């Protein structure tokens, strides 16, 4: 069974020892669980990159995920998409409408290659309530996260019955 995790720093475990990240702990648990069920091989591959957006994901999904024909893909994006950098002149790194389209395209590509299980979830709340750089009207990171979580909910609802969705807020 091939399980792929495809996301950003939330899936990488930024600033966490690699042995203590949730993908590493999940891999260890799955190996024990499947061995106990008489199955010998589970391969969990984490194809997540710190700082990635859905825009970045579209550029690498073919080589990083689709070419390997995984059985299950856990996909998580949004916190970097909704962020505003000073160099972005007050705009999100990926605008909401583009984020919606990108997320839908990523799901469509996973479905098209026959991924049996696709798991998508919202992002956890953040504690970042300061005003984002140059944003007019004034925006906060957590406020943007909430908006992008709503987009994730809407897109996931569109694929109801074809993906699994978890709202972690």
């Amino acid at each position: 069974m091939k399980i792929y995790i495809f996301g950003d720093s939330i899936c990488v475990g930024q600033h966490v020892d690699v042995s203590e990240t949730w993908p590493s702990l999940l891999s260890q648990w799955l190996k024990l669980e499947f061995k106990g069920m008489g199955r010998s091989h589970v391969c969990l591959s984490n194809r997540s990159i710190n700082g990635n957006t859905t825009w970045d994901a579209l550029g690498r999904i073919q080589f990083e995920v689709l070419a390997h024909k995984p059985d299950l893909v856990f996909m998580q994006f949004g916190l970097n998409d909704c962020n505003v950098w000073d160099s972005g002149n007050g705009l999100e790194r990926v605008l909401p409408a583009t984020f919606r389209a990108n997320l839908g395209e990523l799901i469509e590509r996973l479905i098209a290659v026959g991924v049996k299980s696709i798991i998508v979830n919202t992002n956890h709340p953040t504690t970042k309530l300061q005003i984002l750089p140059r944003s007019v009207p004034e925006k906060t990171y957590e406020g943007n996260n909430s908006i992008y979580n709503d987009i994730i909910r809407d897109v996931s609802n569109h694929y109801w019955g074809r993906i699994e969705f978890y709202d972690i807020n």
Side-chain angles (χ1 to χ4, degrees), residues 130-158:
Q130 70 271 20
I131 302 301
L132 292 166
R134 298 187 187 189
S135 60
V136 178
E138 293 182 337
K139 303 172 187 175
T140 65
Y141 186 61
E142 181 51 36
N144 274 6
N145 182 30
S146 180
I147 291 166
Y148 282 61
N149 276 339
D150 285 342
I151 294 169
I152 294 168
R153 287 181 192 99
D154 288 346
V155 170
S156 295
N157 189 46
H158 176 77

Side-chain angles (χ1 to χ4, degrees), residues 41-60:
H41 191 68
V42 176
C43 177
L44 187 141
S45 182
N46 191 353
R47 301 301 176 124
S48 304
I49 297 178
N50 289 337
N52 260 202
T53 64
T54 53
W55 190 260
D56 300 312
L58 283 170
R60 63 188 187 87

